[in-house]
C-alpha cells in the first residue's frame, strides 16, 4: 500500500495487525521516515522495550508531541490597553 511507503500528511490512522512485538518493530522500522511513532500498552516493560527499539525521533506523548511543543516556535508578547 502507498500509505506504507510514502509520507502521508493529514488526519489518517492506518491500522496493521501483527503477531509479535518483534514483527511490529520490524515493520515500523522498515521505512525511510521516522519523525514520530505512537502505540499503546498497559505493560510498562513492553512500552520501554518497544520505544527503545523504534527508530523514530519521538515516541508518543512528550513535549514535542504535546500542546507544549509549539512553545519553542512562539514569541510571547504582552499587550496592555487602557490607562495605567
Amino acid at each position: 500500500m502507498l500509505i506504507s511507503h510514502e509520507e502521508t500528511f493529514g488526519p489518517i490512522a492506518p491500522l496493521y495487525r501483527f503477531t509479535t512485538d518483534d514483527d511490529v518493530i520490524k515493520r515500523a522500522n522498515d521505512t525511510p521516515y521516522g519523525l514520530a511513532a505512537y502505540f499503546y500498552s498497559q505493560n510498562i516493560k513492553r512500552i520501554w522495550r518497544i520505544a527503545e527499539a523504534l527508530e523514530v525521533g519521538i515516541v508518543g506523548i512528550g513535549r514535542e508531541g504535546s500542546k507544549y511543543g509549539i512553545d519553542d516556535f512562539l514569541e510571547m508578547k504582552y499587550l496592555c490597553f487602557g490607562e495605567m
Side-chain angles (χ1 to χ4, degrees):
M1 294 180 293
L2 288 177
I3 197 165
S4 297
H5 301 285
E6 293 182 351
E7 190 171 19
T8 306
F9 291 97
I12 197 162
L15 301 175
Y16 301 92
R17 290 182 185 256
F18 64 93
T19 54
T20 66
D21 290 352
D22 291 335
D23 181 31
V24 76
I25 290 166
K26 181 180 178 194
R27 288 186 195 189
N29 289 338
D30 187 26
T31 175
Y33 309 103
L35 181 59
Y38 301 88
F39 69 93
Y40 302 91
S41 177
Q42 293 180 345
N43 183 320
I44 298 299
K45 289 182 181 180
R46 185 182 199 194
I47 290 171
W48 278 107
R49 189 169 43 79
I50 293 174
E52 289 179 345
L54 291 173
E55 298 169 358
V56 295
I58 63 171
V59 176
I61 300 171
R63 196 176 75 141
E64 289 82 7
S66 74
K67 66 179 183 177
Y68 303 105
I70 193 72
D71 289 347
D72 291 334
F73 301 98
L74 297 177
E75 187 65 40
M76 299 298 285
K77 188 179 288 188
Y78 173 74
L79 298 173
C80 180
F81 294 94
E83 295 183 34
M84 293 238 205

